[in-house]
Amino acid sequence: MTDIGVCAVRQGVRRRADRIGAATPPGRDRAVDTLRAAAVLGVVLGHWLVTALVSDGRTLRTASPLQHMPWLAPISWMFQTLAVFFLVGGHVATRGYASARARGVPYHQWLTGRLTRLFKPVAAVLGLWTVAALALLLSGTEFGTVRTLVKLALAPLWFLLVFAGLTAATPLLTRLNPLWPLAVVLHVDLLRVGLGGPSWLGWVNVAAAWMVPYTLGAAWTRGELERRRAGWILLGAGAAATAALVAWAGYPAAMVGVPGGGMSNLDPPSLAVVTFGLAQCGLALLLRERLRHATRRPVAWAGVALVNLSAMTVFLWHQTALMATTATGLLAGRLPGLHTPPDGLGWVGVRLLWLPVFALALAVCWAAFRSFERSGGGDGRRSRVVRAHRPSDRGAAAKARHV
């Protein structure tokens, strides 16, 4: 590309970024959107890096580099960002619910809109994979392979169910101290891990564990986490507790599930993943002001805004993008980093080279299914990161708040 072409591209990007910045409500807290975008992209990159579909003849099975190289566990610390998503979700939901109540919007209307916006994109995923699974089975594909593919594709849906439940309980959680659900997780793990109690007790943590960062988000809304001291306490205490649990209580160092491993920190959520999440939330709170400053730059903010506008589409389709690339690659044979066992650093190096291909496949999914994410807000207004400034609504947009 010539210098003239590069300059033209840069100018086009800059103009687009300026338009997005001009369409952003002045009162919007850009740190919230940046944290949400980072949480979503962290989950996506984490899955792409630690999830492998190994080809054994006509069968595909899941594997992970963490099985063969457990010393790579710190990778999971970087990309297991669900706690930050629940922190932001709790903050946005409690703030939005308070705003809706102030304007006289009934709870059922607020909740219906929120859940519609949450689950509308799910219909496309379920529809496509229902058809795909039937087609694969009818074509003679082994049931084990179909089961593996469907399980990976639909795995993100568990998170939506938990998030929907917490959203529905927002009026009850608005003033709940995070120490209460933390105490539940502590006692459940004391019984099932420390005293050898029944393993099914761990499923209590599916709600209680993610309620901890969600109620921290509510505390953020109440203004209780504005001082930097709160962030440092969460970061320090969470990191120290996690280190102690891993070093002396037998919890895995990996903060994600590892196929073929023993105890998992995520399935169901453990005390270690909760304390790790507290450390993540503390770091997120400490970074708020820097993120607000960084997103004053038009191009940086445009990237954050675009991710937020399609966050659900990116989250729901990233596993499909991985599997579509893997299946297409089989036409060319057994490709390293894509179909081979993740048993060495060579695999990791090649897998990094596949990331742009996964991103391209995800872009195709985004273009095909992003329209399912467009819907109105749950309180009678459209919830948008950016808004078109028509002459009739410039004044209203200037007063818009983040919900």
Side-chain angles (χ1 to χ4, degrees):
M1 184 180 291
T2 65
D3 291 341
I4 295 177
V6 171
C7 289
V9 170
R10 287 179 178 175
Q11 291 175 359
V13 171
R14 181 75 185 196
R15 285 194 297 270
R16 175 63 174 165
D18 288 340
R19 285 198 297 271
I20 292 175
T24 301
R28 192 171 187 89
D29 188 348
R30 299 186 181 193
V32 173
D33 296 294
T34 307
L35 289 172
R36 183 193 290 114
V40 170
L41 294 180
V43 171
V44 170
L45 289 174
H47 282 159
W48 285 354
L49 287 172
V50 303
T51 302
L53 284 169
V54 178
S55 173
D56 291 334
R58 298 178 58 209
T59 304
L60 286 176
R61 60 177 176 84
T62 56
S64 170
L66 299 178
Q67 282 178 278
H68 306 280
M69 296 170 283
W71 48 271
L72 288 177
I75 292 178
S76 69
W77 305 347
M78 296 172 59
F79 296 111
Q80 205 290 74
T81 50
L82 284 174
V84 176
F85 197 100
F86 279 95
L87 170 75
V88 173
H91 174 56
V92 172
T94 51
R95 189 172 175 177
Y97 178 64
S99 176
R101 286 190 64 189
R103 290 178 289 105
V105 176
Y107 165 75
H108 69 85
Q109 182 180 337
W110 172 83
L111 180 63
T112 299
R114 290 265 173 189
L115 296 187
T116 298
R117 193 164 64 234
L118 189 67
F119 284 108
K120 188 178 179 183
V122 173
V125 177
L126 291 177
L128 183 140
W129 274 100
T130 298
V131 173
L134 290 174
L136 289 170
L137 290 172
L138 292 174
S139 67
T141 304
E142 291 193 4
F143 177 78
T145 295
V146 176
R147 181 178 179 275
T148 295
L149 296 178
V150 172
K151 184 177 179 180
L152 279 178
L154 302 185
L157 298 186
W158 74 261
F159 146 85
L160 294 182
L161 294 175
V162 177
F163 193 80
L166 294 178
T167 300
T170 294
L172 301 176
L173 302 179
T174 298
R175 304 202 63 83
L176 182 69
N177 192 309
L179 291 177
W180 287 110
L182 178 61
V184 172
V185 177
L186 173 63
H187 284 82
V188 165
D189 270 25
L190 179 63
L191 289 173
R192 74 183 181 101
V193 178
L195 301 178
S199 59
W200 58 261
L201 281 174
W203 295 106
V204 175
N205 287 349
V206 172
W210 302 117
M211 196 181 296
V212 174
Y214 194 89
T215 50
L216 276 174
W220 179 359
T221 300
R222 297 194 300 269
E224 297 174 6
L225 303 179
E226 291 305 312
R227 297 178 62 182
R228 291 182 62 81
R229 179 185 176 187
W232 283 115
I233 290 174
L234 287 171
L235 176 59
T242 304
L245 290 170
V246 171
W248 296 305
Y251 285 83
M255 293 298 149
V256 296
V258 179
M263 179 182 176
S264 169
N265 277 321
L266 269 187
D267 188 24
S270 71
L271 178 61
V273 87
V274 173
T275 57
F276 177 74
L278 291 176
Q280 282 187 316
C281 291
L283 180 60
L285 294 171
L286 291 171
L287 291 175
R288 284 176 296 181
E289 197 54 46
R290 291 191 178 186
L291 295 176
R292 290 169 186 140
H293 178 76
T295 49
R296 291 173 189 167
R297 292 192 281 269
V299 174
W301 170 242
V304 170
L306 291 175
V307 172
N308 275 271
L309 288 170
S310 302
M312 283 296 300
T313 302
V314 170
F315 180 80
L316 289 172
W317 290 97
H318 73 278
Q319 293 282 60
T320 299
L322 167 67
M323 289 181 282
T325 304
T326 303
T328 304
L330 280 173
L331 300 176
R334 201 162 177 261
L335 301 177
L338 200 60
H339 309 111
T340 53
D343 53 4
L345 284 177
W347 184 94
V348 176
V350 177
R351 173 50 68 102
L352 292 174
L353 299 177
W354 281 107
L355 294 184
V357 183
F358 298 156
L360 180 60
L362 180 56
V364 173
C365 294
W366 172 83
F369 299 105
R370 65 191 174 99
S371 61
F372 287 87
E373 196 164 356
R374 297 174 181 171
S375 63
D379 51 7
R381 296 184 297 177
R382 295 183 70 81
S383 177
R384 293 296 187 198
V385 180
V386 296
R387 299 179 183 181
H389 287 318
R390 298 183 297 274
S392 61
D393 65 6
R394 283 184 184 270
K399 299 177 183 178
R401 296 177 63 191
H402 177 92
V403 295

